[in-house]
Amino acid sequence: MSGEREVSERLSMEDILIEASLENRARAQGIKMTAQRAVVCSVLDGIDDHPDALQIHDKARQIDPRIALATVYRTMRLLEDRDLIKSHNFGDGRSRYEDGLKDEHGHLINSDTGEVIEFHDAEFENLKKRIAKRLGYDVTGHRLELYGKPLG
Amino acid sequence: MSGEREVSERLSMEDILIEASLENRARAQGIKMTAQRAVVCSVLDGIDDHPDALQIHDKARQIDPRIALATVYRTMRLLEDRDLIKSHNFGDGRSRYEDGLKDEHGHLINSDTGEVIEFHDAEFENLKKRIAKRLGYDVTGHRLELYGKPLG
DNA sequence: ATACCTGCAAAACCTTTGCACAGTT
DNA sequence: AACTGTGCAAAGGTTTTGCAGGTAT
């Protein structure tokens, strides 16, 4: 999704992890990196999208045809438990996954086509904290989807 | 959920429909009201919650034991197509339903307990329109979930 | 050797559908 | 009679799991 960036000695460990591949971030979290998991991670790194398990499996099999769908699901659960990816439900039956280190953002779904557009909004980031506080809570995350149709 | 309110002749047709039971609103939409559908509607009217299909089916069978789960699903789809109810996905596999005439609102989910708290926020209603417009869209709906933990 | 991971197939789970029958107009 | 709605059971789609074999430490 983003080009490689030279790692200078000025970067903190945290910076390095944020810039690192999903595979390396998973390693940094202590996840044992098997060949299959590395393939799944590389597939996720190569997609700037919201793929479902089947799409991930298909791409993974292009790299290593022996990977089982069950392994994809098991890996997704592992990564999600460590907050390395997030899973979404956009209304159809299946789960769709995306990188968990992206800034928190919203999704605008085109009701006509199903196309998903990501957006970020600072005002909303602020607002959600105020809403939660009003209700006596501390926000740990959000899920914001707008459904709409293209203007005239 | 709310007590009965006397219907004065000053209320418009729209007011009456908003105050009416789900069953009557469905009738007003031209849906043929069978015994089973009436039972399902009454169950939905009696719950101020976000039940899934199985919970609705259970309550419905307490009133009429012959109602099939398939009928519940078929009725939910019918009501959803007419925008009389809305369906949500809170992360587990199943769909959960709620009255569609409630003001659009958000859900705050307690990450510890799974408890769902509804909230309404005028500022957000405003903000979502501006966000969509910025992206070239007209909002037709939204889904807003905040996840959080109770304050200290 | 021990512990964990994987593939495969079967199971589990939620939801939809085919079909024959019942209910209504 | 035509039409629609229903119950039941079967099928569908997605995700999980049991188990036997594989891999790594």
Side-chain angles (χ1 to χ4, degrees), chain A residues 67-134:
Chain A
I67 291 180
L69 181 56
T71 299
V72 172
Y73 277 111
R74 283 191 273 236
T75 304
M76 301 320 278
R77 185 149 43 146
L78 196 61
L79 296 175
E80 194 183 357
D81 286 348
R82 301 292 214 290
D83 284 324
L84 293 167
I85 62 172
K86 283 180 187 156
S87 91
H88 293 274
N89 255 115
F90 291 138
D92 43 5
R94 30 206 183 145
S95 298
R96 297 170 61 176
Y97 306 91
E98 72 178 343
D99 194 307
L101 273 191
K102 282 185 188 170
D103 272 351
E104 284 216 275
H105 57 266
H107 295 115
L108 171 62
I109 292 111
N110 183 327
S111 315
D112 296 331
T113 66
E115 183 194 4
V116 177
I117 299 162
E118 286 183 10
F119 63 84
H120 185 85
D121 189 277
E123 202 176 331
F124 172 74
E125 293 304 313
N126 211 310
L127 177 57
K128 75 175 182 186
K129 287 175 200 146
R130 297 204 312 274
I131 292 173
K133 192 170 180 183
R134 184 178 91 214

Side-chain angles (χ1 to χ4, degrees), chain A residues 34 36 66 68 71 74:
Chain A
T34 66
Q36 290 91 333
R66 301 181 317 171
T71 299
R74 283 191 273 236

Side-chain angles (χ1 to χ4, degrees), chain A residues 108 149-152, chain B residues 131-138:
Chain A
L108 171 62
K149 294 175 189 299
L151 286 170
Chain B
I131 292 174
K133 192 170 180 183
R134 183 176 92 213
L135 299 167
Y137 281 75
D138 229 11

Side-chain angles (χ1 to χ4, degrees), chain B residues 69-124:
Chain B
L69 181 56
T71 298
V72 172
Y73 277 111
R74 284 191 272 236
T75 304
M76 301 321 276
R77 185 148 44 143
L78 195 62
L79 297 174
E80 194 182 357
D81 286 347
R82 301 293 213 291
D83 285 324
L84 292 167
I85 62 171
K86 283 181 187 157
S87 91
H88 294 275
N89 255 115
F90 290 139
D92 43 6
R94 40 214 170 132
S95 297
R96 297 169 60 174
Y97 307 91
E98 71 177 344
D99 194 307
L101 273 192
K102 283 185 188 172
D103 273 351
E104 285 216 275
H105 57 265
H107 294 115
L108 171 62
I109 292 112
N110 183 328
S111 316
D112 296 331
T113 65
E115 183 194 4
V116 177
I117 299 162
E118 287 183 8
F119 64 84
H120 185 84
D121 189 277
E123 200 176 333
F124 172 74

